[in-house]
Amino acid sequence: MKGHASATCELCGRSPLVTTVHHLVPKEKGGTLQPTALLCKACHRQIHALYTNDDLVILELTTVEALQHDPQIASYLKWISKQAPGSEPKLRKSQRVRGKR
């Protein structure tokens, strides 16, 4: 994933910062040629810390809008939007991602 300098994160709206390409439908679930979003590293990491690729598809979190309205991600966005653009907070993977369902 190539970074895009001085961009705006499509999820949290912070800028300017380096963004990465997030496949809204995971590549392993057929999303290779599907739409993508430019996300800051912090938001991209948070999505994958909260949800597996299966979860993203099953829970229909395959658009920026759906991600923004998800309660867990919305709570995170409320907090991260107040942080400096370059900040990369520590995170902990959710139990579902760690395999402890």
Side-chain angles (χ1 to χ4, degrees), residues 45-77:
R45 289 177 56 219
Q46 185 67 23
I47 289 168
H48 291 291
L50 290 172
Y51 298 109
T52 65
N53 286 341
D54 284 337
D55 293 335
L56 292 172
V57 172
I58 292 166
L59 298 172
E60 299 181 1
L61 299 174
T62 56
T63 66
V64 171
E65 295 77 20
L67 289 165
Q68 289 171 331
H69 288 94
D70 175 75
Q72 289 189 78
I73 295 175
S75 174
Y76 164 79
L77 291 175

Side-chain angles (χ1 to χ4, degrees), residues 9 11-12 14 19 23 46 54-55 71 76 79 87 90 93:
C9 176
L11 195 59
C12 71
R14 294 182 306 150
T19 57
H23 287 82
Q46 185 67 23
D54 284 337
D55 293 335
Y76 164 79
W79 175 79
S87 67
K90 292 183 180 181
K93 291 183 179 180

